[in-house]
Amino acid sequence: MKLSKIKYSELNSRQKEIFNFQKLSAVLADYGFNCIKLADDWQGADFLAYHKDGQDSLRVQLKARLTISEKYLGKDLYMAFPVKDNWCLIEHDVLVELVRIHTNWLNTSSWIDNGNYHSASPGKQLLNAIGVNILETT
């Protein structure tokens, strides 16, 4: 069998989620985490990340872009999403507060009417604010 690389753009949404989980799991392994994919969104989490120190365990919601949602508020949930060639891992409620400070997203109809907002290309000011939560892939 000859292996050949796939094109992410040709994957369906379920395949993209699995692909992103595998990529992020590899990055989190460099930071001492073992990741376990969940069959369903258990308490809002797509996967669990357990740190080697035995002290930290994270419930993580994986997204293809920066996403905030009212349904995740107050759930001690982490959001993970790609940022350029790296990944961001940040507490959802901290992310919402940074969004409140650095954008007008919480004043949009998407947030007010639907309780969620997402962006594939967040502004530089917000990216700088979440910068400490960027996991380097190299």
Side-chain angles (χ1 to χ4, degrees):
M1 175 175 145
K2 182 182 177 199
L3 297 177
S4 58
K5 289 191 173 188
I6 55 98
K7 292 183 181 176
Y8 182 82
S9 62
E10 294 177 358
L11 299 176
N12 65 38
S13 60
R14 180 72 178 132
Q15 292 168 330
K16 286 179 180 178
E17 182 177 341
I18 293 167
F19 179 92
N20 286 336
F21 169 73
Q22 297 297 337
K23 290 290 198 175
L24 179 55
S25 293
V27 172
L28 286 171
D30 289 337
Y31 290 84
F33 284 92
N34 175 29
C35 297
I36 301 169
K37 183 82 171 95
L38 299 170
D40 58 358
D41 280 4
W42 179 71
Q43 296 183 3
D46 289 320
F47 70 92
L48 303 176
Y50 296 101
H51 196 266
K52 69 173 189 67
D53 66 10
Q55 301 296 314
D56 296 311
S57 61
L58 310 175
R59 290 182 303 108
V60 183
Q61 175 61 228
L62 177 61
K63 295 295 185 182
R65 59 182 56 197
L66 187 156
T67 302
I68 56 173
S69 179
E70 285 182 340
K71 70 182 179 180
Y72 301 139
L73 289 172
K75 292 194 173 184
D76 192 30
L77 191 64
Y78 281 74
M79 302 303 288
F81 52 89
V83 176
K84 299 181 182 170
D85 293 329
N86 296 310
W87 286 90
C88 179
L89 180 68
I90 186 170
E91 289 178 80
H92 175 267
D93 293 1
V94 170
L95 178 58
V96 171
E97 182 60 19
L98 292 174
V99 163
R100 186 190 66 72
I101 293 168
H102 299 286
T103 75
N104 71 339
W105 297 355
L106 301 184
N107 298 319
T108 65
S109 62
S110 178
W111 181 260
I112 293 168
D113 298 337
N114 303 317
N116 59 59
Y117 195 95
H118 57 85
S119 175
S121 55
K124 186 175 181 176
Q125 189 176 19
L126 180 57
L127 286 176
N128 287 340
I130 64 173
V132 296
N133 297 289
I134 301 296
L135 306 172
E136 295 184 12
T137 59
T138 55

